[in-house]
Amino acid sequence: MPFSPILKNSKMEQAYNLTGLKTDRDIIIKHFLDSLLFAKELPHGALSLADIGSGAGFPGIPIKIMFPDLSLFL
C-alpha cells in the first residue's frame, strides 16, 4: 500500500502540512529508514525503549515493527 495517499489525505496533514514529502520513496527514506538508523544503537538484548517527544511515532513505530518483542513507550 502506498504511503503518500495516507499522509496527504489525513486531516492533520491538510491542516498543518506535517510533512513536505510527497512521494512514497521520500517517505520511506526520510521517515522509515531514518528511524531505523537509531535501531543499530540499541544495546543487544534491549527489553524496553522510551521514545520521548515522538514525532508522529517516528522513530518508535518503525523500530517496534522491526523488534516486536521490544517494549516500546511513545
Side-chain angles (χ1 to χ4, degrees), residues 39-73:
K40 70 179 184 175
E41 299 301 324
L42 287 173
H44 180 70
L47 301 176
S48 62
L49 174 70
D51 182 359
I52 300 171
S54 179
F58 293 101
I61 292 174
I63 291 172
K64 176 67 174 175
I65 291 169
M66 294 301 295
F67 301 94
D69 293 333
L70 183 69
S71 180
L72 175 69
F73 303 92

Side-chain angles (χ1 to χ4, degrees), residues 5-49:
I6 295 169
L7 291 176
K8 286 192 277 186
N9 294 326
S10 74
K11 288 181 183 179
M12 292 295 286
E13 174 61 25
Q14 291 172 6
Y16 299 106
N17 190 26
L18 299 174
T19 179
L21 305 175
K22 302 300 179 202
T23 68
D24 290 342
R25 182 181 186 279
D26 288 343
I27 292 167
I28 290 168
I29 290 170
K30 296 293 183 185
H31 289 313
F32 288 90
L33 294 181
D34 281 359
S35 294
L36 293 174
L37 288 175
F38 174 76
K40 70 179 184 175
E41 299 301 324
L42 287 173
H44 180 70
L47 301 176
S48 62
L49 174 70

